[in-house]
Amino acid sequence: MSASRRSGTTDELGPGEPERDGSDLLAALLDGMDAALCAFDADGVVTHWNREAERILGWTAAEAVGRKGFAGWAVRTADAEEVEGRLLSAMRAPGRQVHEFALVTKDGGRVLVRTQSAAVRGPDGRPAGVYCAFSEVHTQIDLERSIALSEALFEDASWGVVLVDADLRPAVVNAHAARAMGIGRTSVLGRPIGELLSQGVEELEGALTHVLAEGAPPAPAEMWVGVRTAEGERRRCWRSWFLRLASPLAEEPVPLGVSWMFQDVTEAKQGEQEAALLRFRGNQLHRAARAAAECEDPAEAATVHLDFALAGFADHALIDRVAGAPEAEASAPVRLVRLAATPSGAPGPSLPAGAAGLPVRYEEGHPALQCAERAGTVRTDAGEVPAERSREWALARQWPADSVHALCAVLRSRGRTLGVVTFLRGRGRSRFERSDAAYAEDVAVRIAAALDLAGLTGAAGEK
């Protein structure tokens, strides 16, 4: 049975006339609606009843169309007058009327529904009937909650929310995400993600592509990204959640895009990394002290401290001692003699050097000389220059050619400057920070004590 009457009870179809294509189209449209719909003529007779109304109440179109009102079948008799009055009052009221009341199902149960009703006017403009769209209240409430949740996420959420379409372009961005990216909400839309982030684009696009193909991952992912700001590029860690969005209207799931939610955890992540780094460096200092204690030669103990310090901290390291007696440092220019160095080619333990006692050919103003003269730590780097220029910079300072960042820490013991320890990093590593300088100074104290002891034992041996 169609959703509208098929026999001669309407103005459009006379008795015995075949249905026109327009009526078939109307019946198909009504049956395909997600909302339940019924209609009444001016006398309150049901003229239309679609499949969703049949699903909710159990009454078929054949059983509903042609009945006068809801009394005795879709509404309890005691409530029929009030319900029909509220529905038919829409013919005399402007706009739509919203009501909630209980309808009776075919099996005798009751369903609380929310209705929207409005007048249907004829060619002369006079009310010809009423249409009524209704749905179960809990379904309507679920829909309203979903809409409210979406609005809250895109307006008031304290984490970033970005809806990305199937082409990996932002389609909707909430206020928090726009602030995190340092860009306006509307200017983000439709742009490639590569234009929004300076780092981490490949990892993010890979995650979005995976979610589109395979679905949401079982756990959040932490991604380091670079964000362009007015102050320059900032590196941030975003803990990200991903959900694949599929159309509820398609017979088979059709991906509409990905919901990407993220929270900035940079400070917490940096705190974790710093704590782990401190633990590792503390363990290295402890292990180095125990290993050095087993060395009979104090000079060997100094190189043991250097080797343990190098792990995870630098690519190369050098120990230069002051030439001559340390007491003469105030009256003569500082000259440094290479005592030990790590291999510049393959990794390995530091090797003794400078047996001849010839000073290293450091030019005036060299960082190691500055460190010895000032008795303080010196940090320097080649800067943002091409590889060939950085190579020339390193070789001019008598350092391995791949060195880009340097840190020189003074070796002092018993109030005297004994030399300088230099740590070097290559191009693939970050420059030395203040926390690195503090660690280098701790190592330098231990190396200086070993060298001082070596000098004392050497002097005792000569006597």
Side-chain angles (χ1 to χ4, degrees), residues 222-242:
E222 292 180 351
M223 299 182 176
W224 285 94
V225 300
V227 182
R228 302 181 183 92
T229 66
E231 296 78 21
E233 183 178 299
R234 298 176 61 193
R235 194 163 179 260
R236 313 300 297 171
C237 181
W238 289 347
R239 181 171 294 155
S240 302
W241 294 262
F242 300 95

Side-chain angles (χ1 to χ4, degrees), residues 15 22 34 52 59 72 85 88 90 93 139 175 178 241 261-262 277 309 321 332 376 390:
D34 291 332
E52 184 65 12
W59 301 98
L88 297 178
T139 303
W241 294 262
M261 296 163 284
F262 64 87
L277 185 60
R321 63 177 176 85
S390 66

Side-chain angles (χ1 to χ4, degrees), residues 139-342:
T139 303
Q140 184 70 19
I141 291 176
D142 288 344
L143 175 61
E144 292 178 359
R145 284 173 179 161
S146 298
I147 295 173
L149 174 61
S150 299
E151 292 181 350
L153 285 175
F154 288 109
E155 296 297 334
D156 305 322
S158 59
W159 59 87
V161 181
V162 180
L163 297 189
V164 182
D165 63 22
D167 295 325
L168 306 186
R169 295 174 183 264
V172 184
V173 178
N174 77 339
H176 186 95
R179 288 194 301 269
M181 295 180 183
I183 197 168
R185 293 181 65 178
T186 55
S187 59
V188 176
L189 306 183
R191 295 173 57 182
I193 294 178
E195 296 182 7
L196 309 179
L197 303 174
S198 58
Q199 294 181 16
V201 177
E202 295 80 3
E203 184 181 4
L204 176 58
E205 289 182 343
L208 295 173
T209 302
H210 173 81
V211 173
L212 279 173
E214 304 292 338
E222 292 180 351
M223 299 182 176
W224 285 94
V225 300
V227 182
R228 302 181 183 92
T229 66
E231 296 78 21
E233 183 178 299
R234 298 176 61 193
R235 194 163 179 260
R236 313 300 297 171
C237 181
W238 289 347
R239 181 171 294 155
S240 302
W241 294 262
F242 300 95
L243 296 173
R244 181 169 61 179
L245 304 179
S247 173
L249 304 179
E251 293 184 4
E252 297 182 359
V254 177
L256 298 177
V258 177
S259 172
W260 169 36
M261 296 163 284
F262 64 87
Q263 188 176 25
D264 194 320
V265 294
T266 306
E267 294 182 3
K269 199 66 179 176
Q270 287 176 340
E272 293 176 4
Q273 292 178 344
E274 290 174 1
L277 185 60
L278 287 174
R279 286 195 302 270
F280 173 75
R281 289 179 175 177
N283 289 335
Q284 287 297 97
L285 291 175
H286 175 71
R287 293 173 60 197
R290 295 192 61 180
E294 301 300 322
C295 296
E296 296 182 4
D297 183 2
E300 182 185 356
T303 60
V304 166
H305 283 291
L306 186 68
D307 292 336
F308 273 93
L310 201 63
F313 181 67
D315 298 318
H316 307 289
L318 315 168
I319 297 178
D320 297 325
R321 63 177 176 85
V322 174
E327 292 81 358
E329 63 183 53
S331 59
V334 175
R335 294 184 303 159
L336 298 175
V337 176
R338 181 66 42 82
L339 182 65
T342 55

Side-chain angles (χ1 to χ4, degrees), residues 119 283 388 408 457:
N283 289 335
E388 187 59 33
C408 299
T457 56

Side-chain angles (χ1 to χ4, degrees), residues 47-178:
T47 59
H48 296 81
W49 189 267
N50 73 348
R51 293 188 185 278
E52 184 65 12
E54 177 181 342
R55 186 193 67 79
I56 293 175
L57 298 179
W59 301 98
T60 65
E63 295 169 322
V65 173
R67 290 179 181 263
K68 183 175 175 60
F70 283 159
W73 63 287
V75 173
R76 292 193 313 175
T77 304
D79 301 331
E81 182 177 354
E82 178 187 358
V83 170
E84 292 176 12
R86 291 164 69 181
L87 289 175
L88 297 178
S89 66
M91 284 192 294
R92 302 180 297 276
R96 292 182 297 175
Q97 304 293 309
V98 179
H99 303 285
E100 288 186 7
F101 44 76
L103 296 181
V104 178
T105 63
K106 187 175 181 179
D107 59 8
R110 301 184 71 194
V111 178
L112 184 63
V113 299
R114 178 175 296 177
T115 66
Q116 295 186 36
S117 53
V120 177
R121 302 189 180 278
D124 57 358
R126 299 175 61 184
V130 174
Y131 82 83
C132 172
F134 63 91
S135 61
E136 297 175 79
V137 167
H138 72 82
T139 303
Q140 184 70 19
I141 291 176
D142 288 344
L143 175 61
E144 292 178 359
R145 284 173 179 161
S146 298
I147 295 173
L149 174 61
S150 299
E151 292 181 350
L153 285 175
F154 288 109
E155 296 297 334
D156 305 322
S158 59
W159 59 87
V161 181
V162 180
L163 297 189
V164 182
D165 63 22
D167 295 325
L168 306 186
R169 295 174 183 264
V172 184
V173 178
N174 77 339
H176 186 95

